[in-house]
mmCIF file of all heavy atoms in Angstrom:
data_model
loop_
_atom_site.group_PDB
_atom_site.id
_atom_site.type_symbol
_atom_site.label_atom_id
_atom_site.label_comp_id
_atom_site.label_asym_id
_atom_site.label_seq_id
_atom_site.Cartn_x
_atom_site.Cartn_y
_atom_site.Cartn_z
ATOM 1 N N PHE A 422 119.634 135.943 62.179
ATOM 2 C CA PHE A 422 119.892 137.374 62.168
ATOM 3 C C PHE A 422 118.590 138.169 62.092
ATOM 4 O O PHE A 422 117.716 137.889 61.275
ATOM 5 C CB PHE A 422 120.781 137.722 60.981
ATOM 6 C CG PHE A 422 121.084 139.179 60.846
ATOM 7 C CD1 PHE A 422 121.905 139.819 61.748
ATOM 8 C CD2 PHE A 422 120.545 139.914 59.789
ATOM 9 C CE1 PHE A 422 122.202 141.172 61.622
ATOM 10 C CE2 PHE A 422 120.832 141.253 59.644
ATOM 11 C CZ PHE A 422 121.656 141.888 60.561
ATOM 12 N N ASP A 423 118.458 139.164 62.984
ATOM 13 C CA ASP A 423 117.293 140.040 63.013
ATOM 14 C C ASP A 423 117.748 141.432 62.591
ATOM 15 O O ASP A 423 118.429 142.129 63.346
ATOM 16 C CB ASP A 423 116.705 140.076 64.432
ATOM 17 C CG ASP A 423 115.452 140.935 64.528
ATOM 18 O OD1 ASP A 423 115.124 141.618 63.534
ATOM 19 O OD2 ASP A 423 114.817 140.934 65.609
ATOM 20 N N PRO A 424 117.395 141.879 61.395
ATOM 21 C CA PRO A 424 117.878 143.179 60.905
ATOM 22 C C PRO A 424 117.393 144.358 61.745
ATOM 23 O O PRO A 424 118.004 145.424 61.710
ATOM 24 C CB PRO A 424 117.329 143.246 59.475
ATOM 25 C CG PRO A 424 116.205 142.277 59.439
ATOM 26 C CD PRO A 424 116.551 141.192 60.396
ATOM 27 N N SER A 425 116.316 144.162 62.527
ATOM 28 C CA SER A 425 115.808 145.263 63.346
ATOM 29 C C SER A 425 116.746 145.580 64.515
ATOM 30 O O SER A 425 116.642 146.640 65.127
ATOM 31 C CB SER A 425 114.403 144.936 63.859
ATOM 32 O OG SER A 425 114.441 143.865 64.794
ATOM 33 N N ARG A 426 117.622 144.643 64.850
ATOM 34 C CA ARG A 426 118.614 144.897 65.909
ATOM 35 C C ARG A 426 119.974 144.358 65.453
ATOM 36 O O ARG A 426 120.626 143.573 66.140
ATOM 37 C CB ARG A 426 118.170 144.285 67.243
ATOM 38 C CG ARG A 426 117.798 142.816 67.218
ATOM 39 C CD ARG A 426 117.262 142.364 68.585
ATOM 40 N NE ARG A 426 117.134 140.922 68.643
ATOM 41 C CZ ARG A 426 118.075 140.111 69.094
ATOM 42 N NH1 ARG A 426 119.232 140.607 69.507
ATOM 43 N NH2 ARG A 426 117.883 138.809 69.136
ATOM 44 N N ALA A 427 120.377 144.800 64.289
ATOM 45 C CA ALA A 427 121.590 144.310 63.647
ATOM 46 C C ALA A 427 122.833 144.486 64.517
ATOM 47 O O ALA A 427 123.744 143.655 64.490
ATOM 48 C CB ALA A 427 121.795 145.021 62.307
ATOM 49 N N LYS A 428 122.860 145.566 65.341
ATOM 50 C CA LYS A 428 124.035 145.837 66.169
ATOM 51 C C LYS A 428 124.269 144.771 67.236
ATOM 52 O O LYS A 428 125.359 144.690 67.813
ATOM 53 C CB LYS A 428 123.904 147.208 66.839
ATOM 54 C CG LYS A 428 122.695 147.338 67.754
ATOM 55 C CD LYS A 428 122.609 148.741 68.361
ATOM 56 C CE LYS A 428 121.374 148.912 69.224
ATOM 57 N NZ LYS A 428 121.291 147.965 70.326
ATOM 58 N N ASP A 429 123.252 143.946 67.514
ATOM 59 C CA ASP A 429 123.380 142.908 68.537
ATOM 60 C C ASP A 429 124.023 141.633 67.998
ATOM 61 O O ASP A 429 124.263 140.695 68.771
ATOM 62 C CB ASP A 429 122.002 142.557 69.114
ATOM 63 C CG ASP A 429 121.379 143.704 69.886
ATOM 64 O OD1 ASP A 429 122.147 144.533 70.418
ATOM 65 O OD2 ASP A 429 120.133 143.777 69.946
ATOM 66 N N PHE A 430 124.284 141.581 66.686
ATOM 67 C CA PHE A 430 124.775 140.339 66.087
ATOM 68 C C PHE A 430 126.241 140.454 65.682
ATOM 69 O O PHE A 430 126.695 141.490 65.183
ATOM 70 C CB PHE A 430 123.930 139.959 64.875
ATOM 71 C CG PHE A 430 122.584 139.413 65.246
ATOM 72 C CD1 PHE A 430 121.516 140.274 65.480
ATOM 73 C CD2 PHE A 430 122.384 138.045 65.391
ATOM 74 C CE1 PHE A 430 120.266 139.772 65.836
ATOM 75 C CE2 PHE A 430 121.156 137.536 65.740
ATOM 76 C CZ PHE A 430 120.085 138.399 65.967
ATOM 77 N N LEU A 431 126.952 139.345 65.887
ATOM 78 C CA LEU A 431 128.363 139.253 65.546
ATOM 79 C C LEU A 431 128.542 138.158 64.498
ATOM 80 O O LEU A 431 128.136 137.024 64.712
ATOM 81 C CB LEU A 431 129.184 138.922 66.807
ATOM 82 C CG LEU A 431 130.674 138.656 66.621
ATOM 83 C CD1 LEU A 431 131.377 139.917 66.136
ATOM 84 C CD2 LEU A 431 131.282 138.177 67.945
ATOM 85 N N PHE A 432 129.141 138.537 63.379
ATOM 86 C CA PHE A 432 129.385 137.566 62.324
ATOM 87 C C PHE A 432 130.809 137.043 62.456
ATOM 88 O O PHE A 432 131.773 137.812 62.384
ATOM 89 C CB PHE A 432 129.166 138.186 60.944
ATOM 90 C CG PHE A 432 127.723 138.437 60.636
ATOM 91 C CD1 PHE A 432 127.124 139.630 61.024
ATOM 92 C CD2 PHE A 432 126.958 137.478 59.998
ATOM 93 C CE1 PHE A 432 125.792 139.863 60.763
ATOM 94 C CE2 PHE A 432 125.621 137.694 59.727
ATOM 95 C CZ PHE A 432 125.033 138.897 60.115
ATOM 96 N N ILE A 433 130.933 135.724 62.681
ATOM 97 C CA ILE A 433 132.237 135.094 62.874
ATOM 98 C C ILE A 433 132.553 134.279 61.628
ATOM 99 O O ILE A 433 131.979 133.201 61.410
ATOM 100 C CB ILE A 433 132.241 134.204 64.132
ATOM 101 C CG1 ILE A 433 131.839 135.044 65.364
ATOM 102 C CG2 ILE A 433 133.600 133.560 64.335
ATOM 103 C CD1 ILE A 433 131.705 134.231 66.638
ATOM 104 N N SER A 434 133.428 134.808 60.805
ATOM 105 C CA SER A 434 133.776 134.141 59.559
ATOM 106 C C SER A 434 134.643 132.916 59.826
ATOM 107 O O SER A 434 135.163 132.727 60.939
ATOM 108 C CB SER A 434 134.532 135.105 58.644
ATOM 109 O OG SER A 434 135.789 135.428 59.216
ATOM 110 N N GLY A 435 134.826 132.104 58.796
ATOM 111 C CA GLY A 435 135.720 130.963 58.924
ATOM 112 C C GLY A 435 137.130 131.397 59.241
ATOM 113 O O GLY A 435 137.840 130.766 60.037
ATOM 114 N N THR A 436 137.566 132.506 58.638
ATOM 115 C CA THR A 436 138.900 133.036 58.913
ATOM 116 C C THR A 436 139.026 133.454 60.367
ATOM 117 O O THR A 436 140.021 133.166 61.041
ATOM 118 C CB THR A 436 139.191 134.238 57.992
ATOM 119 O OG1 THR A 436 139.131 133.813 56.629
ATOM 120 C CG2 THR A 436 140.560 134.822 58.283
ATOM 121 N N LYS A 437 137.997 134.142 60.882
ATOM 122 C CA LYS A 437 138.000 134.578 62.279
ATOM 123 C C LYS A 437 138.005 133.379 63.213
ATOM 124 O O LYS A 437 138.722 133.352 64.225
ATOM 125 C CB LYS A 437 136.772 135.449 62.543
ATOM 126 C CG LYS A 437 136.678 136.009 63.968
ATOM 127 C CD LYS A 437 137.774 137.004 64.248
ATOM 128 C CE LYS A 437 137.561 137.669 65.595
ATOM 129 N NZ LYS A 437 138.656 138.620 65.923
ATOM 130 N N MET A 438 137.227 132.359 62.877
ATOM 131 C CA MET A 438 137.175 131.156 63.702
ATOM 132 C C MET A 438 138.541 130.495 63.777
ATOM 133 O O MET A 438 139.003 130.095 64.845
ATOM 134 C CB MET A 438 136.143 130.170 63.128
ATOM 135 C CG MET A 438 136.035 128.864 63.877
ATOM 136 S SD MET A 438 134.936 127.682 63.055
ATOM 137 C CE MET A 438 135.874 127.329 61.575
ATOM 138 N N ARG A 439 139.221 130.400 62.628
ATOM 139 C CA ARG A 439 140.543 129.782 62.611
ATOM 140 C C ARG A 439 141.566 130.623 63.377
ATOM 141 O O ARG A 439 142.468 130.086 64.017
ATOM 142 C CB ARG A 439 140.994 129.556 61.167
ATOM 143 C CG ARG A 439 140.188 128.477 60.440
ATOM 144 C CD ARG A 439 140.816 128.096 59.112
ATOM 145 N NE ARG A 439 140.770 129.186 58.160
ATOM 146 C CZ ARG A 439 139.762 129.396 57.325
ATOM 147 N NH1 ARG A 439 138.691 128.611 57.356
ATOM 148 N NH2 ARG A 439 139.813 130.401 56.463
ATOM 149 N N THR A 440 141.402 131.950 63.337
ATOM 150 C CA THR A 440 142.290 132.836 64.095
ATOM 151 C C THR A 440 142.128 132.606 65.592
ATOM 152 O O THR A 440 143.107 132.542 66.343
ATOM 153 C CB THR A 440 142.002 134.310 63.748
ATOM 154 O OG1 THR A 440 142.235 134.514 62.356
ATOM 155 C CG2 THR A 440 142.901 135.247 64.554
ATOM 156 N N TYR A 441 140.866 132.484 66.041
ATOM 157 C CA TYR A 441 140.602 132.153 67.450
ATOM 158 C C TYR A 441 141.359 130.883 67.836
ATOM 159 O O TYR A 441 142.053 130.829 68.855
ATOM 160 C CB TYR A 441 139.096 131.913 67.669
ATOM 161 C CG TYR A 441 138.242 133.142 67.788
ATOM 162 C CD1 TYR A 441 136.926 133.129 67.313
ATOM 163 C CD2 TYR A 441 138.699 134.297 68.415
ATOM 164 C CE1 TYR A 441 136.112 134.248 67.439
ATOM 165 C CE2 TYR A 441 137.885 135.416 68.539
ATOM 166 C CZ TYR A 441 136.593 135.389 68.050
ATOM 167 O OH TYR A 441 135.789 136.478 68.181
ATOM 168 N N ALA A 442 141.181 129.836 67.016
ATOM 169 C CA ALA A 442 141.772 128.532 67.342
ATOM 170 C C ALA A 442 143.297 128.589 67.340
ATOM 171 O O ALA A 442 143.946 128.005 68.207
ATOM 172 C CB ALA A 442 141.260 127.469 66.367
ATOM 173 N N ARG A 443 143.882 129.296 66.373
ATOM 174 C CA ARG A 443 145.344 129.387 66.288
ATOM 175 C C ARG A 443 145.944 130.133 67.476
ATOM 176 O O ARG A 443 147.011 129.776 67.981
ATOM 177 C CB ARG A 443 145.754 130.089 64.990
ATOM 178 C CG ARG A 443 145.797 129.187 63.780
ATOM 179 C CD ARG A 443 146.560 129.836 62.649
ATOM 180 N NE ARG A 443 145.971 131.106 62.256
ATOM 181 C CZ ARG A 443 145.071 131.233 61.286
ATOM 182 N NH1 ARG A 443 144.679 130.164 60.618
ATOM 183 N NH2 ARG A 443 144.577 132.412 60.980
ATOM 184 N N THR A 444 145.261 131.205 67.905
ATOM 185 C CA THR A 444 145.805 132.044 68.984
ATOM 186 C C THR A 444 145.419 131.550 70.366
ATOM 187 O O THR A 444 145.890 132.082 71.372
ATOM 188 C CB THR A 444 145.312 133.493 68.825
ATOM 189 O OG1 THR A 444 143.871 133.520 68.890
ATOM 190 C CG2 THR A 444 145.769 134.075 67.490
ATOM 191 N N GLY A 445 144.563 130.528 70.437
ATOM 192 C CA GLY A 445 144.127 130.007 71.725
ATOM 193 C C GLY A 445 143.039 130.841 72.376
ATOM 194 O O GLY A 445 142.679 130.607 73.539
ATOM 195 N N GLU A 446 142.495 131.802 71.620
ATOM 196 C CA GLU A 446 141.405 132.629 72.146
ATOM 197 C C GLU A 446 140.083 131.903 71.960
ATOM 198 O O GLU A 446 139.800 131.398 70.865
ATOM 199 C CB GLU A 446 141.376 133.968 71.405
ATOM 200 C CG GLU A 446 140.280 134.907 71.887
ATOM 201 C CD GLU A 446 140.244 136.212 71.098
ATOM 202 O OE1 GLU A 446 141.143 136.399 70.227
ATOM 203 O OE2 GLU A 446 139.337 137.028 71.337
ATOM 204 N N ASN A 447 139.280 131.835 72.993
ATOM 205 C CA ASN A 447 137.997 131.153 72.895
ATOM 206 C C ASN A 447 136.961 132.026 72.201
ATOM 207 O O ASN A 447 136.906 133.234 72.433
ATOM 208 C CB ASN A 447 137.480 130.764 74.278
ATOM 209 C CG ASN A 447 138.276 129.636 74.895
ATOM 210 O OD1 ASN A 447 138.711 128.721 74.192
ATOM 211 N ND2 ASN A 447 138.503 129.706 76.197
ATOM 212 N N PRO A 448 136.127 131.430 71.373
ATOM 213 C CA PRO A 448 135.030 132.194 70.770
ATOM 214 C C PRO A 448 133.968 132.474 71.828
ATOM 215 O O PRO A 448 134.026 131.914 72.927
ATOM 216 C CB PRO A 448 134.508 131.243 69.692
ATOM 217 C CG PRO A 448 134.791 129.888 70.251
ATOM 218 C CD PRO A 448 136.084 130.014 70.998
ATOM 219 N N PRO A 449 132.983 133.291 71.531
ATOM 220 C CA PRO A 449 131.917 133.540 72.501
ATOM 221 C C PRO A 449 131.216 132.246 72.897
ATOM 222 O O PRO A 449 131.066 131.324 72.076
ATOM 223 C CB PRO A 449 130.968 134.472 71.745
ATOM 224 C CG PRO A 449 131.796 135.083 70.673
ATOM 225 C CD PRO A 449 132.798 134.047 70.284
ATOM 226 N N ASP A 450 130.794 132.156 74.158
ATOM 227 C CA ASP A 450 130.033 130.996 74.609
ATOM 228 C C ASP A 450 128.813 130.796 73.722
ATOM 229 O O ASP A 450 128.089 131.743 73.421
ATOM 230 C CB ASP A 450 129.579 131.183 76.065
ATOM 231 C CG ASP A 450 130.728 131.087 77.056
ATOM 232 O OD1 ASP A 450 131.779 130.546 76.670
ATOM 233 O OD2 ASP A 450 130.573 131.575 78.203
ATOM 234 N N GLY A 451 128.597 129.572 73.300
ATOM 235 C CA GLY A 451 127.452 129.279 72.451
ATOM 236 C C GLY A 451 127.758 129.284 70.975
ATOM 237 O O GLY A 451 126.884 128.980 70.162
ATOM 238 N N PHE A 452 129.010 129.608 70.597
ATOM 239 C CA PHE A 452 129.351 129.592 69.174
ATOM 240 C C PHE A 452 129.547 128.170 68.662
ATOM 241 O O PHE A 452 129.084 127.807 67.584
ATOM 242 C CB PHE A 452 130.615 130.407 68.919
ATOM 243 C CG PHE A 452 131.146 130.272 67.518
ATOM 244 C CD1 PHE A 452 130.491 130.870 66.456
ATOM 245 C CD2 PHE A 452 132.300 129.538 67.253
ATOM 246 C CE1 PHE A 452 130.969 130.746 65.154
ATOM 247 C CE2 PHE A 452 132.784 129.404 65.960
ATOM 248 C CZ PHE A 452 132.114 130.009 64.913
#
Side-chain angles (χ1 to χ4, degrees):
F422 178 70
D423 182 352
S425 68
R426 53 185 190 93
K428 60 181 177 58
D429 294 333
F430 286 86
L431 174 65
F432 288 87
I433 303 175
S434 66
T436 300
K437 182 67 173 178
M438 178 186 67
R439 291 191 293 271
T440 299
Y441 281 147
R443 277 196 301 267
T444 60
E446 180 182 356
N447 289 323
D450 289 342
F452 171 73

